[in-house]
Amino acid sequence: MDTFELKNGIQVYAPCQEAIDEGEFYLRVTHVLDVIQHKKLENYKINNTRKAQEKRLEETGEIGTKIHSMVETDLSGTPKVEEGFEKINQNWQEIKTKYEITSDKSEQVVCSPTHGYAGRFDYIGNIKGKHDGFESPTTIKRSVQDIKSGWYSIKTGWQMASYKYALEEVGQEKDLGMAGINLHRDGDVKKVFVYSRYRECFIAFLCALNDYRMLYYPELRKLKWKWLNHCPLEIKI
């Protein structure tokens, strides 16, 4: 499954161009979530030129890729730390030990045949935390986990919920937990967010998916998207 950016800016996953021509493509999760913007991001875009934004995105994106690679190689048993990333690696090692993090599956694309979206999760494995709420005991649970190297957004939970329910929908996983890990590129933040409100996070994602579907309805209609008239939210009025 490959990623494609269509002429109208829509980002999708599809096995080939022929599938796109037939409307058999999946909307990319992270692109869907771009329709929901936090006030901080809105202010940033107002106060910075497009060129400055693109330059900053390129710089931070490269650093984020290196942090993801550092974590992935470490979890696979072949650690590799680039020069300048020693502090971030130290933060990661402390988090990995404290939360007993493991991984046996990483960087795979998962699709939802029901809702027509797809995304690539960081990794799946065990992590220790209060998976049943703040007052619950600490347990180790197999979870979909996501690394963030910048500002940690509330949408991270929505993103992981989309992966969790898609994986369970197609029978690849069962009863997954969710955990977000913030390893900031500046080396000054190391936090773990263990989730328990899976359903609420998934509903938030489905709301964003429906917003995207309606905002891009004319374009998706021209592309003959298979899920065009599928409303992800069943609401009785």
Side-chain angles (χ1 to χ4, degrees):
M1 192 73 70
D2 295 319
T3 56
F4 296 82
E5 181 164 348
L6 309 183
K7 290 182 179 180
N8 46 30
I10 293 175
Q11 297 179 17
V12 304
Y13 280 94
C16 58
Q17 182 61 50
E18 288 74 14
I20 293 176
D21 294 340
E22 295 297 321
E24 296 274 354
F25 57 84
Y26 298 86
L27 299 179
R28 189 175 182 179
V29 166
T30 51
H31 188 55
V32 166
L33 288 173
D34 282 345
V35 301
I36 309 295
Q37 290 192 2
H38 194 281
K39 193 67 177 176
K40 279 186 179 180
L41 183 57
E42 288 182 4
N43 291 338
Y44 170 77
K45 289 186 174 181
I46 291 171
N47 296 324
N48 292 272
T49 66
R50 185 176 183 83
K51 186 175 181 179
Q53 292 175 42
E54 290 175 350
K55 182 181 179 182
R56 178 63 174 166
L57 186 62
E58 183 178 350
E59 292 171 349
T60 57
E62 183 178 347
I63 296 172
T65 298
K66 290 181 178 180
I67 292 174
H68 277 76
S69 178
M70 181 193 74
V71 170
E72 185 178 357
T73 55
D74 183 63
L75 287 172
S76 66
T78 55
K80 181 182 178 182
V81 182
E82 291 198 29
E83 184 178 352
F85 286 74
E86 292 83 4
K87 175 59 177 176
I88 301 172
N89 180 59
Q90 180 184 337
N91 290 343
W92 160 245
Q93 295 300 330
E94 291 176 7
I95 284 176
K96 184 180 71 169
T97 301
K98 180 178 179 180
Y99 291 89
E100 300 181 31
I101 296 172
T102 64
S103 169
D104 56 43
K105 191 183 291 187
S106 66
E107 295 294 336
Q108 295 182 19
V109 175
V110 61
C111 308
S112 169
T114 298
H115 299 295
Y117 68 80
R120 185 186 299 274
F121 60 79
D122 283 349
Y123 62 93
I124 294 174
N126 290 339
I127 186 168
K128 185 168 68 175
K130 295 182 179 297
H131 294 279
D132 296 317
F134 293 120
E135 303 302 322
S136 68
T138 299
T139 58
I140 294 176
K141 185 178 179 70
R142 183 170 175 78
S143 304
V144 58
Q145 301 177 46
D146 197 78
I147 301 288
K148 296 299 183 189
S149 57
W151 175 56
Y152 194 88
S153 168
I154 191 172
K155 293 190 293 182
T156 303
W158 310 356
Q159 180 183 349
M160 286 189 292
S162 74
Y163 302 153
K164 164 186 163 65
Y165 283 96
L167 286 159
E168 293 173 357
E169 177 187 343
V170 298
Q172 290 187 29
E173 296 287 343
K174 184 179 179 181
D175 190 30
L176 279 174
M178 295 170 12
I181 298 169
N182 192 196
L183 287 171
H184 200 279
R185 54 184 169 266
D186 294 336
D188 56 358
V189 177
K190 51 177 179 179
K191 291 184 178 180
V192 173
F193 301 86
V194 175
Y195 292 74
S196 60
R197 305 179 74 114
Y198 313 132
R199 183 173 179 272
E200 287 90 335
C201 285
F202 189 50
I203 289 173
F205 171 75
L206 292 181
C207 287
L209 179 61
N210 194 54
D211 286 350
Y212 188 99
R213 181 178 70 96
M214 298 306 294
L215 287 168
Y216 286 91
Y217 195 92
E219 292 87 350
L220 292 170
R221 183 176 58 191
K222 290 178 182 178
L223 292 166
K224 300 178 291 185
W225 185 48
K226 179 181 175 180
W227 292 270
L228 179 65
N229 293 313
H230 166 70
C231 180
L233 298 167
E234 294 184 4
I235 303 173
K236 294 181 180 179
I237 300 178

